[in-house]
Amino acid sequence: MPPMTQSIAIALVSGGLDSMVSAARAREDGHRLLALSIDYNQRHKVELEAAAKITALLGAERHVVLPLDLRAFGGSALTADIEVPKTGVGSDIPVTYVPARNTIFLSLALGWAEAAGARDLYIGVNALDYSGYPDCRPEFIAGFEKLAELATKAGVEGEPFRIQAPLQNMTKADIVREAARLGLDAGLSWSCYDPTPEGLHCGLCDSCRLRSRGFEEAGLPDPTRYATHP
C-alpha cells in the first residue's frame, strides 16, 4: 500500500476506457486512489461491473458506487425509453447526452474530495474523438475548477481543487496507446451504450464506433466483443 504521506485523488470511474486510463494516470502521478462510480440507473449498467474490476486492478483504497437514479429526470437515451442512435457519429449533440451529467458527477466527487482531504479530481473526458457533449470541453473543466474554489470551505481557505482531465486533448487512438503504455487490459473496460442480451458491445452506437476506430487507428488489437463489427 502507498505510504500515508501521499496525496489522495478522487477518480471518477465509469467503467469505460477513458475513465480507466484517467484513473491509472492518477496512480502514475503518485496519488493514493479513491474511486467513485455513479449508479444512475443507466441503460448500460454493465459498465459498473467493469468499474469494479478496474478499481480492483488499480488498487483503489476505496471504491464507492453511489446510487443516483437519473431516470427520475430522463431526457437521454441512457436514462429514458429513447432509442440509442446507431447510424454513426454526427455533428449535433446526440440524445445519449445525459443532462448536466458531468456537472452532477464532479459535484459529488468534489464533496467526497473535501471530506477526504483530496485536492485532485480525475475525470476521463476528452474533446477530440467524442460525441460532442458540452460537458467534455476544456472550458467546462476550467469553469468547474473555478466553481470548486468558490463553493467549498477548502477553496475559500486557500486550498483550491484541481480538476485533472489528462485525456482532454487526446484522440481515441492516443487513449488506446496510453492504455497500452500503462500496461492496462483494455478488455476490462466497457463502452457500449446499448449492450446486447448476450453481454456484447452492440458495435453500432457512437461509443462503440469511437472505441473500434481508436484501436484501428492506434494499430493495436481490439479486445472488445462486438455483436456487429463497426
Side-chain angles (χ1 to χ4, degrees):
M1 180 175 290
M4 296 302 287
T5 54
Q6 281 184 299
S7 60
I8 302 169
I10 307 293
L12 280 164
V13 181
S14 67
L17 180 63
D18 296 355
S19 70
M20 180 189 205
V21 173
S22 175
R25 284 285 297 268
R27 289 303 307 266
E28 185 178 58
D29 290 345
H31 299 292
R32 295 163 53 203
L33 184 63
L34 300 179
L36 177 61
S37 303
I38 311 299
D39 179 358
Y40 60 101
N41 207 0
Q42 58 269 52
R43 177 190 295 265
H44 55 313
K45 206 166 184 175
V46 64
E47 70 175 357
L48 295 173
E49 297 173 13
K53 295 174 184 176
I54 290 166
T55 55
L57 173 74
L58 295 178
E61 294 182 23
R62 191 177 174 202
H63 178 210
V64 170
V65 180
L66 196 67
L68 181 70
D69 188 2
L70 293 184
R71 279 190 174 269
F73 297 161
S76 166
L78 304 188
T79 57
D81 294 327
I82 301 170
E83 188 173 347
V84 173
K86 301 286 182 70
T87 56
V89 181
S91 57
D92 297 330
I93 298 171
V95 295
T96 50
Y97 164 71
V98 178
R101 179 174 60 181
N102 285 344
T103 306
I104 294 166
F105 289 3
L106 276 172
S107 296
L108 295 168
L110 177 63
W112 191 12
E114 187 165 32
R119 295 296 175 263
D120 292 274
L121 284 69
Y122 281 73
I123 183 169
V125 297
N126 73 88
L128 296 181
D129 284 347
Y130 75 122
S131 294
Y133 301 150
D135 52 2
C136 288
R137 297 174 300 160
E139 49 265 52
F140 165 73
I141 296 298
F144 193 92
E145 190 170 84
K146 180 61 177 177
L147 172 68
E149 180 182 346
L150 296 173
T152 59
K153 177 177 182 289
V156 169
E157 293 180 348
E159 295 184 30
F161 294 88
R162 293 169 291 274
I163 311 301
Q164 306 280 10
L167 317 185
Q168 185 75 80
N169 298 309
M170 290 187 182
T171 65
K172 191 64 73 173
D174 292 334
I175 295 167
V176 168
R177 294 188 194 100
E178 184 72 348
R181 183 189 70 80
L182 291 163
L184 301 174
D185 178 2
L188 292 178
S189 65
W190 184 272
S191 297
C192 182
Y193 291 148
D194 194 22
T196 71
E198 298 77 27
L200 303 177
H201 281 62
C202 75
L204 297 177
C205 70
D206 286 4
S207 191
C208 280
R209 291 174 188 272
L210 290 168
R211 181 184 177 103
S212 175
R213 191 174 73 193
F215 280 98
E216 183 178 349
E217 292 179 352
L220 293 171
D222 186 351
T224 315
R225 297 168 62 232
Y226 298 103
T228 302
H229 200 278

